Amino acid sequence: MRIGVLALQGAFHEHQVMLERLGAEVRQVRLPAHLDGLDGLIIPGGESTTIGKLAVDFNLMEPLKTFAAEHALWGTCAGAIFMAREVGRPQPLLGLMDIVIERNAFGRQVASFETDLDVPALRHLNGGGKAYHAVFIRAPLIEAVRGTAAALAALPDGRIVAARQGRWLATSFHPELTQDDRFHRYFLEMAQSKSER
Ligand code: GLN
C-alpha cells in the first residue's frame, strides 16, 4: 500500500508514523505530481482554512478532487472539514462528502477532550470489540449526513463524529495522536479494496 499524507500544514507526521508502523509506504503530498501512484490519501488535522488556502496556492484543488474520484480519502478534524460540502462559512473546500460540518463545535472551555466511542465499523478488526478512545482538539461536529454518506460513530448524546461515503472517511477526532491504530487499519482496508478492483 502506498498512502499519501497531505503535508501542507498540521499533524501529518503523526499519520505517517502510524501508517509506516502498519507497513504502508508513505509519501508526503505537497504538489499535484505527488499524487501519482498512491492508493489513498489522508488529509490531517490542523487549521482547515489554512489547509484550504495552501491547497489553492499549490494548485492542488482540482488534482485532489480527481484523485478522490478514484481513490480512498480520509480527513481527520480539519481534513474532515476540508472534505465536506457545507461548513456554513466561506473557505476553500473540496466539497466531496455529503456532510454538513459545524467547525469548533465544542466551544472554548471544552475545546479539547477525550472520550470513548462505540464504533461498530471497527468490530471486524483484530481487537475491534473494545471501545475506541477518541481525542478531540477544537473539533468539528458532523451536523448532518446526507445522500449516501453514513454515520460511523456518535457521542453518547447522538452527535455524529465520524462518517463514511463510499471510499471517503471523515473523523472529527485524531486517531494519529493515540496508540490505537484501528482507524488506520480500517482506512488501509478501504484503500486496498480500490486497488484490487
Ligand atoms: N479547529 C480547526 C478548524 O476548524 C480544526 C482543529 C483540528 O484539526 N484539530 O479547522
Side-chain angles (χ1 to χ4, degrees):
M1 282 278 101
R2 204 180 290 155
I3 304 293
V5 183
L6 190 66
L8 300 176
Q9 189 261 345
F12 54 87
H13 177 72
E14 291 79 356
H15 277 296
Q16 178 166 0
V17 169
M18 196 161 252
L19 288 167
E20 285 173 347
R21 204 173 82 194
L22 291 170
E25 191 186 313
V26 180
R27 185 190 300 154
Q28 295 186 3
V29 172
R30 293 188 179 84
L31 297 170
H34 296 163
L35 294 166
D36 291 348
L38 296 176
D39 299 302
L41 178 75
I42 295 180
I43 303 176
E47 213 287 317
S48 60
T49 311
T50 306
I51 291 173
K53 283 181 181 159
L54 290 170
V56 170
D57 290 350
F58 284 70
N59 292 317
L60 275 162
M61 295 299 280
E62 287 310 313
L64 286 172
K65 287 181 203 176
T66 305
F67 180 85
E70 306 237 312
H71 297 90
L73 207 66
W74 174 19
T76 53
C77 204
I81 298 168
F82 187 48
M83 284 173 69
R85 278 210 193 142
E86 267 187 69
V87 307
R89 57 173 113 173
Q91 66 183 77
L93 298 175
L94 293 177
L96 297 165
M97 284 186 78
D98 215 349
I99 56 177
V100 182
I101 291 267
E102 181 187 354
R103 284 180 65 184
N104 303 322
F106 298 95
R108 278 210 185 145
Q109 297 310 318
V110 286
S112 301
F113 64 98
E114 303 184 11
T115 192
D116 283 345
L117 301 173
D118 176 33
V119 190
L122 301 180
R123 277 194 201 132
H124 68 285
L125 297 170
N126 230 347
K130 61 179 194 286
Y132 184 84
H133 190 73
V135 176
F136 294 79
I137 303 169
R138 284 179 58 75
L141 261 181
I142 301 171
E143 279 185 315
V145 290
R146 296 184 174 149
T148 54
L152 287 189
L155 297 172
D157 63 10
R159 291 183 294 171
I160 300 166
V161 289
R164 177 171 176 172
Q165 184 169 15
R167 289 193 309 277
W168 300 334
L169 177 64
T171 57
S172 299
F173 46 88
H174 287 267
E176 79 284 7
L177 299 182
T178 71
Q179 290 304 311
D180 191 335
D181 58 19
R182 281 178 288 169
F183 263 99
H184 288 79
R185 284 188 276 146
Y186 181 71
F187 180 68
L188 289 177
E189 272 185 7
M190 286 169 62
Q192 179 108 35
S193 69
K194 168 60 186 171
S195 59
E196 280 174 359
R197 220 169 276 157

